[in-house]
Amino acid sequence: MKLTVLFRAFLLLAALAALLPVQAKDRRLLYLPLDERFTTRDLFLAYARITPYRVVTPDRSMLPRQKIPPDMGAMLAWTERWAKEADAAIISADMLLYGGLIASRTSTETIERIRPRLQLLARLKQLNPRLIVYVSTTVMRMPSYSSSEEEPDYYALYGRQIFLFSQHLHRYELLGDPRDRELAEKYRKQIPDEVLADYLQRRQRNLSFNRELIALVERGAIDRLSITLDDNAEFGLFKKEATELARLAHPLGSRVLIYPGADEAQLALLAKLIARDQSARIRVVYRFPQASKLIPAFEGQPLDESVRQQVAASGGTIVEGEADAILFINNFPDRQTFAGAQPQVSTASVKPLEAWLASRNAMPSSRAILILADNKYYNGADVELVTALLQSRFPSERIAYAGWNTSGNTLGSAIALGILRLHMPPTRLPEYKRILWARLMEDWVYMVEGREQIKRDMERRGLRSFAGTPLEREYEQRMEQLFNQHAPIINRYLETDFFVTRVFFPWHRPFEIGFEIGAR
């Protein structure tokens, strides 16, 4: 009799448990990265380690290698297989459709050949009805300089002319100045017809698929879509395309966001996934409030507009009063310039971070997070801010920091880290501090000092590249030494004992670096 009662009680408890929502700790996250870079894939995986999700992602051997595309058949098969088992997916459409960010610009595949890949994305929820699908995509960039390193080969010869043609054409369409029409025609004549036709066809292909991605949001196949403008400006075909996409997406509200950025977009989606049921209240404070409407380098809209969009993309809400986090933006007072060319800073003359915060009434409450978006320079940290941080007594476990490449990269990665910190289980604090350590090491030590050392050395030797030469290994060793020379001061502030065990250049060039971290 007792056994029967116990058995019935067990069945009742089991039935009740089945009605309860599955906890995040039991969930699996499918992650299809933008590309194979350390600064995209590995950074996302590091962020994900402070969440309760278990990430499944393609092995590095399945991914592209800069301009070498992956096996798309294997990529699609992998995605279909794991989509059936995952609870959520963060997918780069650039990877799923073209084979990565670079391939989205250089691939010669036709719309007809690519469309079946989009159809897989459209039916993921049919394969797995419980799947939450977040997708990122880019508006194809258009560098203002001539280089084929990440573009079609002909961009090395005609890139500058293509950019100027695009800029003046768009300006004329918006402003009607005859001078812009004349300049657009001038630069068009400097570009071979077949080159311009091919380039415009690539842009049209990407625009067409971005339209279709918006349609998938409308149909419910995609829950959230981030469309980012990679390396853009105030005028150009990229802005014209983004305007069209914004018009199409307008009825969908916050389910589709369009803003400057690219490499950080999936970090924002991760933060939004974690915070989707509880928006983070964020108070925004600018170091130079009078300059908040200036336009950052490589972007085409005011900084404060991007701030609002990046906060929303990561699952935050901007507030004026009590907040879960203070977003302190170290913005530029007049024009955003290159971090590697910033003036030297005397450590003794820098006030601790607390003084910076007090001057702007930005000191967080005892439980709030301080998000430092280091936007003063592009391509690296502000040495003055990092010095102020490392001299401060503000608890390192309540700091989120980034001072990355573009303003959008910095904003998105800093805000996402802060929101993830708000939701982070206490047991993940060592992994969180590892992220902070890596950010300071890359954004400050490498981008401001290490990369400039390499560039000067290459100029002295008369070299444009070190790929595949013994010099690459020499630079790896020199950067490992540099990192570990700076490790003690970062460890002192973070109360950690990390060091760099290995350095490598993912694309065999000095622009980006990768490194592995050990702990004593």
Side-chain angles (χ1 to χ4, degrees):
M1 180 68 177
K2 289 182 179 180
L3 287 176
T4 302
V5 172
L6 288 173
F7 183 66
R8 288 177 178 173
F10 172 79
L11 291 178
L12 178 61
L13 288 173
L16 289 172
L19 296 175
L20 295 174
V22 178
Q23 298 300 308
K25 65 182 180 180
D26 299 320
R27 295 184 179 182
R28 180 180 283 124
L29 172 63
L30 181 157
Y31 167 53
L32 200 61
L34 178 67
D35 54 31
E36 80 282 14
R37 281 176 295 160
F38 183 81
T39 51
T40 49
R41 178 182 183 269
D42 291 65
L43 185 59
F44 182 96
L45 295 177
Y47 275 41
R49 279 193 287 273
I50 65 172
T51 76
Y53 278 88
R54 291 178 293 153
V55 176
V56 289
T57 192
D59 184 77
R60 197 180 299 276
S61 63
M62 294 179 62
L63 299 176
R65 287 176 291 161
Q66 197 170 3
K67 282 193 169 183
I68 301 175
D71 180 337
M72 290 305 300
M75 185 73 67
L76 295 173
W78 182 93
T79 303
E80 182 170 356
R81 176 205 166 189
W82 285 105
K84 296 174 183 177
E85 301 182 25
D87 297 278
I90 294 179
I91 293 173
S92 164
D94 296 277
M95 177 65 78
L96 186 68
L97 300 182
Y98 311 105
L101 181 62
I102 302 301
S104 72
R105 309 167 193 153
T106 61
S107 166
T108 59
E109 292 184 302
T110 63
I111 288 178
E112 291 71 24
R113 182 170 177 81
I114 295 172
R115 178 157 283 112
R117 304 167 192 171
L118 184 73
Q119 291 168 351
L120 170 61
L121 185 59
R123 61 187 180 89
L124 289 182
K125 284 180 176 285
Q126 297 174 17
L127 297 171
N128 181 353
R130 76 174 186 276
L131 187 67
I132 300 169
V133 180
Y134 285 5
V135 175
S136 67
T137 185
T138 57
V139 173
M140 185 173 152
R141 80 170 191 172
M142 184 184 294
S144 61
Y145 50 87
S146 294
S147 170
S148 62
E149 192 169 27
E150 300 181 26
E151 318 299 323
D153 291 344
Y154 52 70
Y155 215 87
L157 299 174
Y158 306 107
R160 180 63 178 166
Q161 294 92 322
I162 291 172
F163 173 82
L164 291 171
F165 160 72
S166 164
Q167 180 186 59
H168 289 290
L169 180 65
H170 187 222
R171 275 181 61 92
Y172 174 70
E173 291 177 354
L174 290 180
L175 305 178
D177 187 339
R179 177 61 178 159
D180 281 314
R181 181 176 59 185
E182 294 170 8
L183 287 171
E185 183 62 18
K186 169 189 171 182
Y187 292 114
R188 187 195 67 77
K189 290 179 178 178
Q190 295 176 13
I191 309 165
D193 290 345
E194 63 275 13
V195 167
L196 186 58
D198 178 83
Y199 185 76
L200 294 178
Q201 185 177 29
R202 292 169 189 265
R203 298 203 68 88
Q204 188 60 37
R205 178 192 64 182
N206 289 24
L207 175 61
S208 174
F209 281 120
N210 281 337
R211 290 193 197 107
E212 294 192 43
L213 289 170
I214 292 173
L216 289 182
V217 177
E218 186 175 15
R219 286 168 44 190
I222 295 174
D223 296 293
R224 190 172 183 86
L225 175 65
S226 290
I227 304 175
T228 53
L229 284 83
D230 184 16
D231 285 7
N232 63 104
E234 191 171 4
F235 298 99
L237 292 177
F238 36 78
K239 290 286 287 196
K240 181 178 180 180
E241 293 159 5
T243 300
E244 178 190 334
L245 295 172
R247 178 182 56 79
L248 292 174
H250 180 72
L252 301 172
S254 62
R255 294 169 64 195
V256 179
L257 294 178
I258 304 174
Y259 58 93
D263 292 351
E264 84 299 334
Q266 293 185 302
L267 302 177
L269 289 176
L270 177 64
K272 175 61 180 176
L273 178 67
I274 296 298
R276 68 188 184 279
D277 297 325
Q278 186 179 353
S279 179
R281 300 168 300 167
I282 296 179
R283 182 159 70 90
V284 179
V285 178
Y286 292 91
R287 181 182 178 187
F288 302 106
Q290 73 281 6
S292 65
K293 293 189 180 299
L294 295 180
I295 298 176
F298 313 112
E299 295 187 3
Q301 66 182 33
L303 175 62
D304 64 346
E305 187 175 340
S306 294
V307 168
R308 290 192 296 271
Q309 293 167 331
Q310 290 278 8
V311 168
S314 288
T317 301
I318 294 178
V319 299
E320 295 294 334
E322 184 178 354
D324 302 306
I326 302 293
L327 172 56
F328 185 85
I329 299 174
N330 183 38
N331 58 321
F332 42 98
D334 41 35
R335 184 173 65 90
Q336 193 180 35
T337 57
F338 175 51
Q342 64 185 284
Q344 291 188 341
V345 172
S346 169
T347 303
S349 67
V350 178
K351 296 179 181 179
L353 182 64
E354 290 87 342
W356 295 41
L357 301 176
S359 69
R360 289 282 173 255
N361 189 29
M363 185 66 73
S365 66
S366 59
R367 295 184 178 181
I369 301 298
L370 177 62
I371 304 172
L372 296 174
D374 196 354
N375 289 76
K376 188 174 182 183
Y377 301 99
Y378 64 83
N379 283 352
D382 175 7
V383 175
E384 186 182 13
L385 174 62
V386 172
T387 303
L389 172 63
L390 296 178
Q391 290 182 349
S392 80
R393 295 186 177 181
F394 194 92
S396 61
E397 64 269 18
R398 290 171 49 211
I399 290 281
Y401 172 85
W404 205 2
N405 292 335
T406 68
S407 180
N409 295 157
T410 290
L411 287 171
S413 52
I415 295 166
L417 184 59
I419 289 179
L420 289 174
R421 173 63 185 87
L422 288 169
H423 293 268
M424 183 187 77
T427 55
R428 306 297 169 89
L429 185 59
E431 286 295 336
Y432 183 79
K433 288 196 173 186
R434 184 185 291 261
I435 294 171
L436 288 177
W437 197 91
R439 284 252 65 101
L440 289 167
M441 194 61 74
E442 181 176 359
D443 300 351
W444 170 45
V445 179
Y446 182 68
M447 289 188 176
V448 178
E449 185 176 345
R451 184 163 57 190
E452 294 307 299
Q453 286 184 13
I454 293 174
K455 287 165 63 176
R456 288 193 297 269
D457 189 73
M458 291 178 67
E459 289 172 2
R460 182 179 61 82
R461 297 172 188 251
L463 298 175
R464 295 179 60 86
S465 172
F466 58 64
T469 72
L471 193 58
E472 182 167 0
R473 179 57 184 153
E474 178 184 326
Y475 287 149
E476 290 171 350
Q477 293 172 337
R478 286 171 59 174
M479 290 303 101
E480 182 178 332
Q481 292 173 358
L482 178 69
F483 290 167
N484 286 324
Q485 286 170 6
H486 285 77
I489 187 173
I490 301 176
N491 281 327
R492 191 178 307 123
Y493 174 68
L494 295 180
E495 298 180 308
T496 54
D497 200 8
F498 295 129
F499 63 99
V500 170
T501 60
R502 174 176 171 253
V503 170
F504 56 96
F505 296 96
W507 281 0
H508 308 287
R509 65 181 189 179
F511 186 76
E512 57 270 296
I513 199 165
F515 51 90
E516 296 175 359
I517 301 173
R520 292 183 176 88

